[in-house]
Amino acid sequence: MANKILSRFFPERSFSLQLKVIVFLMSLLLYALLALLHRAAILPHAEGRLVLYIFFVLIFTDTFFCGFVPGMVFAMLSSIIAISVLIPEKTSFLQVTATELEVFPFIAMYFLVAITVDWFRENIERLKEQIEENKRLHEQTRHMEKLVLAGEIAAGIAHEIRNPLTVVQGYLQLMDSRCKNQCNSPESYRLILDELRRANQIISEFLRFSRPDQPNKERVQLNDLIESTVTLVYGEGLCKGVRIFFSPAPDLPLLYLDRGQMIQVFLNLFSNAIAAMPEGGTISVYTESNENDVTVKIIDSGTGMPAETAEKIFIPFYTTKSEGTGLGLPISQTIIFAHRGTIAVETAPGEGTEFTVTFPLHSTEINNGATQ
C-alpha cells in the first residue's frame, strides 16, 4: 500500500524511488530549518527576503528529481513563508503597500518554476526514450543487414549444392525402380533417398529464409486467420494432450497481410508450443488492438526456456530439437518484419513461453509495395 501511494506521489522517472524520497525528505528538512529561522526572527528582514530565493532552488530540485506534485507542494509551502516575509503583521488587505504587493509575482514565479521544470523534464525523458528506441532500431537494422549478406552468400552455396543432390536423387530413384527385387539391401536405397530429401528440405527452407518472397498483401481479418490456423493444428494438439483456447478481441480492424505467409508463421508458433509440452498442456491465444497496432499473444504452459536459449531462437540453424532445422522461427521473423511487424518472446524454465506478435494498424503498404 505504501509503495502504491509513493508511486502516485512520485511519477515514473529515470531516477530511482529511493533517490526521490531522499531528495524530498532533505528538502523538507531544509524547508523546516528556514521556517524555524523565520519564525524565531533570527534573520533580519533583509536576510529573510534573501531566503525566499533559496526556495527557488528547492522547487527546481524537487520538480526535477521527484516530479510535478512534489514541486507544487514546495511551491505552496514556499508561498506561505513568502507571504509572511513580504506582508508582515498585516490584518487587512487595505494596509498592504504597493511595494509589498510584489509577493504575488514572487508566488507566481514559484509555481511557474515548478511547471516549467516539469515541462522540460518530460521533454528530456521523451527525448531519452526516443534515443533508446533509435539505438534499438539501429542495432536491429545492422543485424538484418548481416543476415541479408549471409543469406546472399549462403543462397549461392545452397544453389550449387542443390544441383548435384538433385542428380544423385534422380539416379538413385532410377536404380531403386530397376533393381528393387534384385538388390540385397533395398532399405539402404530408401535410407539414402530419405536423407537426400531431408537435405533438399533444409536447403529449400534456407533458400526461403535467405530470399523470402515479397508478401502479397490483402485485407485480412486476423481473428479468422488465427482460427483457421488453430483448426489445422487442433488434431495434432489433441493427440498430444494439448488444448488450444482462442480468445479473439471483438471488432478487430482489418489488416493488409499475406494470408499464406501469416498461416505459415502461426503454424510454426503453434507447432513449437505443442512440441514444448510433451506431457500435454494448454495454449492460450489472445488478440487485442489499440489506436496504433494489433497484437497477438500465444502463451503455452510448456517447459519454457532459459534466457540464453531465448536469446538465440531467431538465429538461423539454432535449434533444440533433434530433428529440427533451426529455420522455422528465423523465417517467421523475416515474414513478420516484411509486414513491418515485431515478434518478441518472454519465457523462463518451468513457466511456459509467451510469444507476442504486433502489426502496425496504419500501414499503407499492400500488394508488393503498392499503396492504397
Side-chain angles (χ1 to χ4, degrees):
M1 184 65 181
N3 287 336
K4 189 175 181 180
I5 295 173
L6 287 174
S7 298
R8 289 186 176 181
F9 188 73
F10 301 110
E12 291 295 329
R13 292 280 168 88
S14 298
F15 306 105
S16 65
L17 180 61
Q18 182 181 8
L19 176 62
K20 287 183 279 190
V21 171
I22 291 174
V23 170
F24 186 73
L25 292 178
M26 290 182 65
S27 299
L28 278 178
L29 184 62
L30 181 57
Y31 173 84
L33 177 62
L34 295 175
L36 286 174
L37 289 175
H38 169 67
R39 189 174 181 84
I42 296 176
L43 298 174
H45 183 68
E47 282 76 3
R49 291 171 63 91
L50 291 175
V51 168
L52 300 181
Y53 292 95
I54 298 177
F55 292 134
F56 282 115
V57 178
L58 289 179
I59 295 168
F60 177 91
T61 302
D62 278 85
T63 306
F64 185 82
F65 285 95
C66 305
F68 180 70
V69 175
M72 294 301 287
V73 168
F74 271 95
M76 288 186 285
L77 292 175
S78 303
S79 300
I80 296 172
I81 295 184
I83 291 172
S84 63
V85 169
L86 297 179
I87 312 179
E89 299 178 3
K90 299 293 184 180
T91 57
S92 173
F93 180 77
L94 297 176
Q95 296 175 289
V96 178
T97 65
T99 304
E100 291 165 342
L101 287 176
E102 67 176 322
V103 66
F104 297 107
F106 231 109
I107 293 173
M109 284 295 295
Y110 283 157
F111 288 94
L112 183 61
V113 167
I115 294 171
T116 304
V117 172
D118 186 69
W119 182 83
F120 275 108
R121 181 62 183 162
E122 285 185 355
N123 280 274
I124 291 172
E125 290 292 325
R126 196 176 295 113
L127 182 61
K128 286 177 63 178
E129 290 176 0
Q130 187 63 47
I131 291 173
E132 291 298 322
E133 179 66 14
N134 289 342
K135 285 183 179 179
R136 187 188 68 81
L137 291 175
H138 180 66
E139 290 298 322
Q140 188 180 64
T141 302
R142 287 183 58 190
H143 177 65
M144 291 304 299
E145 287 175 351
K146 291 179 181 178
L147 287 179
V148 168
L149 179 60
E152 291 176 353
I153 296 172
I157 298 173
H159 179 72
E160 294 301 322
I161 294 175
R162 195 176 189 181
N163 289 335
L165 281 177
T166 303
V167 174
V168 172
Q169 181 177 345
Y171 274 96
L172 282 172
Q173 288 173 335
L174 180 63
M175 292 170 63
D176 183 45
S177 63
R178 289 185 176 180
C179 65
K180 184 174 292 184
N181 299 323
Q182 291 83 11
C183 295
N184 295 325
S185 56
E187 292 298 326
S188 300
Y189 284 109
R190 294 192 183 91
L191 179 62
I192 294 171
L193 284 172
D194 288 342
E195 289 303 306
L196 284 172
R197 289 191 188 100
R198 182 170 177 271
N200 196 41
Q201 178 188 356
I202 294 173
I203 292 173
S204 298
E205 289 186 4
F206 189 67
L207 283 173
R208 192 182 310 144
F209 167 73
S210 60
R211 294 176 181 174
D213 296 331
Q214 286 294 325
N216 185 21
K217 298 180 183 178
E218 57 182 325
R219 289 170 69 87
V220 173
Q221 172 51 255
L222 194 58
N223 283 338
D224 295 341
L225 188 148
I226 293 175
E227 190 169 358
S228 299
T229 311
V230 169
T231 303
L232 294 175
V233 297
Y234 179 79
E236 179 187 358
L238 197 62
C239 292
K240 297 185 178 180
V242 176
R243 293 178 297 170
I244 304 176
F245 301 97
F246 179 36
S247 301
D251 302 324
L252 203 67
L254 296 175
L255 296 174
Y256 284 108
L257 303 172
D258 186 309
R259 184 179 182 84
Q261 290 186 356
M262 284 300 108
I263 288 178
Q264 179 184 354
V265 168
F266 290 115
L267 269 177
N268 183 61
L269 293 176
F270 290 147
S271 297
N272 285 349
I274 292 172
M277 295 180 284
E279 305 298 326
T282 60
I283 300 175
S284 301
V285 186
Y286 304 91
T287 57
E288 56 188 28
S289 66
N290 55 39
E291 59 182 9
N292 296 318
D293 47 48
V294 173
T295 300
V296 183
K297 292 184 180 293
I298 301 172
I299 306 170
D300 67 58
S301 59
T303 55
M305 296 177 284
E308 55 270 20
T309 300
E311 292 175 356
K312 300 176 182 178
I313 58 175
F314 295 111
I315 298 176
F317 296 111
Y318 179 81
T319 181
T320 56
K321 302 176 184 177
S322 58
E323 298 180 356
T325 61
L327 289 171
L329 284 175
I331 289 174
S332 299
Q333 185 187 56
T334 302
I335 291 173
I336 292 170
F337 284 172
H339 288 78
R340 298 186 178 276
T342 60
I343 180 170
V345 61
E346 292 184 14
T347 184
E351 297 183 8
T353 301
E354 176 180 333
F355 279 95
T356 302
V357 181
T358 304
F359 298 104
L361 189 57
H362 304 294
S363 177
T364 58
E365 281 200 344
I366 62 171
N367 295 330
N368 300 329
T371 57
Q372 176 79 358

